[in-house]
Amino acid sequence: MIKFLMKGLLRDRSRSLFPIMVVTAGVMLTVFLHDWLGGVLSDVIRSNANFMTGHVKIMTKAYAENEDQMPNDLAILGVHALLNDLRKEYPDITWVSRIRFGGLLDAPDKEGETRSQGPVMGLGVDLLSQNTPEIAVLNIKKAIVRGHLPDKPGQILISEDFAAKLGIKPGDKVTLLSSTMYGSMAIQNFILAGTVEFGVAPMDRSAMILDIKDARLALDMNDAAGEILGFFKNHLYNDAKAAEIKNSFQSRFSNSSDEFAPVMFTLREQNDLGEYLDMVGSFSGILVFIFVLAMSIVLWNAGLIGGLRRYGEIGVRLAIGESKGHVYASMILESTLIGLVGSIIGTAIGLGFSYYVQMKGFDASSLMKNSTMMLSNVMRTQITPESYYIGFFPGLFSVILGTALSGVGIYKRKTAQLFRELEA
């Protein structure tokens, strides 16, 4: 039967070409949009984790309540001892300490007077220690535009756009104006080692990166840090594992009566990422449902038109004694073959487009200039194992559903009417 139906579809393209084209187009769009959403979601997770949240983050309770203000007066004390405990208890996690702060960066002229200045978002990370993971986590080597990585204390990196606005270049001296952990004025001179461009709008706007020891010296934060971030060693966020680590940490280190007790948050619990992850996950299901519904309607109409064209064929088959159920079942099987062929072709084309965008990327920097989201300016798709089969859901279900709806008319045919049609 299958061989017979396949020959019929190949020999009569008028009844198979249009449905296959519709299925192919729908499956292709489903696969590509699924990979696009996956790529955007992965980029949001990666960018937020690397620059802001980690896969898990530790702060004091008081700091967490005012995190947007970067209140370093509420920072974690005794960081080295806490890091040693964390590395002992959770060896599968890479732990790093960071200091985030705001301030003003002043660029002097030859006479030492202010030539230009601007607000800066500072980030103190471990740049100078041997085998530090931070350079890889932040991808700093690839982000260098001019100059070089800091190789000794007193050197900093700033974003390329910020350097252009200030009119400074690597080797120039700049002055940081900020406040210490204890609220007094902080003034510290630095040498600009290089400029960076991460491709993430908030970081490329006015970022300043320096070694955490220099940050502690400038801000009077000896053995202190605003945040301790943890990263899974495979660099992939695992929500269930992160929640398990958080619960374990809270039972070991949390002290509910002390506002300076360290508390841990998972990536999902920060920056409204939980709602975003849930929304994108739900949208993938909604996307498939929409394509199933839309293609079903199109194929239903195509089935009705095809049914009118094949009115005589179906009538003859019924007239010679073929049961209505068998005719109906053969049409469903025929549609399954169409859906399978269209799904295979559509998946192949969709994966081809996805692979191209995954490799080349789509430059959306013009749309991201004023963005506050931690999202790369170059958007890419991400091919996952689901990409190879997700298109078969709308591809098969829609064509079967469309045929099932349009084929209901078979059961309304009456034998007496058939003979009058044949005589005519």
Side-chain angles (χ1 to χ4, degrees):
M1 174 62 77
I2 295 177
K3 184 177 180 181
F4 173 77
L5 292 174
M6 182 61 74
K7 284 184 178 180
L9 292 174
L10 292 175
R11 292 173 179 175
D12 186 3
R13 294 183 181 180
S14 61
R15 81 187 200 208
S16 61
L17 184 59
F18 178 71
I20 287 177
M21 290 177 61
V22 172
V23 172
T24 298
V27 170
M28 178 192 67
L29 288 173
T30 301
V31 172
F32 181 77
L33 290 177
H34 170 269
D35 292 347
W36 179 268
L37 286 173
V40 172
L41 177 61
S42 177
D43 186 74
V44 168
I45 292 175
R46 182 174 57 253
S47 297
N48 275 275
N50 291 349
F51 293 108
M52 296 288 292
T53 68
H55 294 148
V56 292
K57 182 197 282 189
I58 299 172
M59 302 171 280
T60 65
K61 289 183 178 180
Y63 187 103
E65 292 174 359
N66 303 278
E67 184 181 2
D68 291 341
Q69 302 174 24
M70 296 178 287
N72 286 318
D73 55 320
L74 305 174
I76 302 171
L77 300 177
V79 169
H80 290 96
L82 180 55
L83 281 173
N84 289 334
D85 287 339
L86 290 168
R87 288 164 181 160
K88 180 180 178 181
E89 294 294 334
Y90 310 103
D92 294 333
I93 304 293
T94 299
W95 299 99
V96 297
S97 56
R98 291 183 181 176
I99 297 174
R100 289 194 295 136
F101 61 92
L104 196 67
L105 198 63
D106 183 274
D109 57 20
K110 293 181 180 179
E111 286 73 32
E113 300 294 332
T114 297
R115 173 164 54 92
S116 59
Q117 60 181 206
V120 68
M121 181 181 70
L123 181 63
V125 300
D126 185 3
L127 292 177
L128 300 179
S129 296
Q130 189 174 9
N131 299 323
T132 173
E134 290 284 44
I135 294 175
V137 168
L138 297 175
N139 201 22
I140 296 177
K141 285 185 178 179
K142 290 186 178 179
I144 294 288
V145 178
R146 293 184 290 164
H148 58 84
L149 277 168
D151 52 20
K152 59 183 179 180
Q155 295 182 343
I156 65 170
L157 300 168
I158 67 172
S159 66
E160 173 67 16
D161 288 348
F162 190 42
K165 289 178 182 178
L166 295 180
I168 56 177
K169 60 185 184 301
D172 288 351
K173 180 183 292 186
V174 292
T175 302
L176 172 67
L177 305 174
S178 187
S179 60
T180 69
M181 180 177 178
Y182 302 100
S184 58
M185 177 70 75
I187 303 175
Q188 189 75 25
N189 292 326
F190 293 100
I191 299 297
L192 180 60
T195 63
V196 290
E197 188 173 60
F198 293 104
V200 179
M203 293 298 297
D204 290 341
R205 199 169 292 133
S206 58
M208 167 184 170
I209 300 175
L210 68 164
D211 185 67
I212 194 167
K213 292 180 181 178
D214 287 335
R216 285 177 175 144
L217 178 64
L219 305 178
D220 198 10
M221 295 181 65
N222 184 41
D223 198 20
E227 308 162 349
I228 295 177
L229 276 60
F231 298 91
F232 293 113
K233 291 191 176 180
N234 62 2
H235 305 294
L236 299 176
Y237 177 66
N238 185 320
D239 192 47
K241 184 65 175 178
E244 179 184 334
I245 292 171
K246 174 195 170 181
N247 293 334
S248 173
F249 176 85
Q250 296 297 84
S251 65
R252 290 174 177 269
F253 295 97
S254 180
N255 184 346
S256 59
S257 64
D258 184 3
E259 66 174 349
F260 289 98
V263 292
M264 182 180 289
F265 298 88
T266 65
L267 179 144
R268 170 179 282 273
E269 296 171 324
Q270 303 176 62
N271 296 356
D272 297 321
L273 288 174
E275 295 180 3
Y276 179 81
L277 296 178
D278 291 338
M279 180 187 69
V280 173
S282 300
F283 192 75
S284 296
I286 294 172
L287 176 69
V288 173
F289 173 77
I290 290 173
F291 275 106
V292 168
L293 182 62
M295 287 196 295
S296 295
I297 294 173
V298 172
L299 293 168
W300 178 15
N301 290 328
L304 290 174
I305 296 172
L308 292 174
R309 189 183 62 80
R310 299 173 64 187
Y311 209 65
E313 174 198 334
I314 295 171
V316 170
R317 292 172 65 180
L318 293 175
I320 63 177
E322 188 174 355
S323 67
K324 294 180 178 179
H326 188 269
V327 174
Y328 189 74
S330 67
M331 291 181 65
I332 294 295
L333 183 56
E334 183 180 288
S335 298
T336 302
L337 293 174
I338 290 173
L340 190 60
V341 172
S343 296
I344 292 172
I345 297 173
T347 298
I349 297 174
L351 288 173
F353 280 122
S354 296
Y355 180 77
Y356 178 82
V357 178
Q358 181 174 283
M359 293 295 101
K360 298 294 183 179
F362 171 73
D363 188 358
S365 55
S366 60
L367 305 174
M368 305 289 290
K369 289 182 179 179
N370 299 317
S371 173
T372 58
M373 289 185 63
M374 284 292 174
L375 182 64
S376 296
N377 293 336
V378 178
M379 297 184 177
R380 302 178 187 274
T381 54
Q382 183 180 41
I383 297 176
T384 63
E386 292 81 5
S387 305
Y388 292 91
Y389 62 79
I390 192 169
F392 284 81
F393 291 102
L396 287 172
F397 290 164
S398 61
V399 70
I400 292 172
L401 182 59
T403 301
L405 293 173
S406 62
V408 171
I410 292 173
Y411 289 93
K412 298 179 180 180
R413 306 295 300 277
K414 296 180 180 179
T415 305
Q417 181 65 27
L418 289 174
F419 284 105
R420 284 199 296 269
E421 292 171 357
L422 293 173
E423 289 174 359

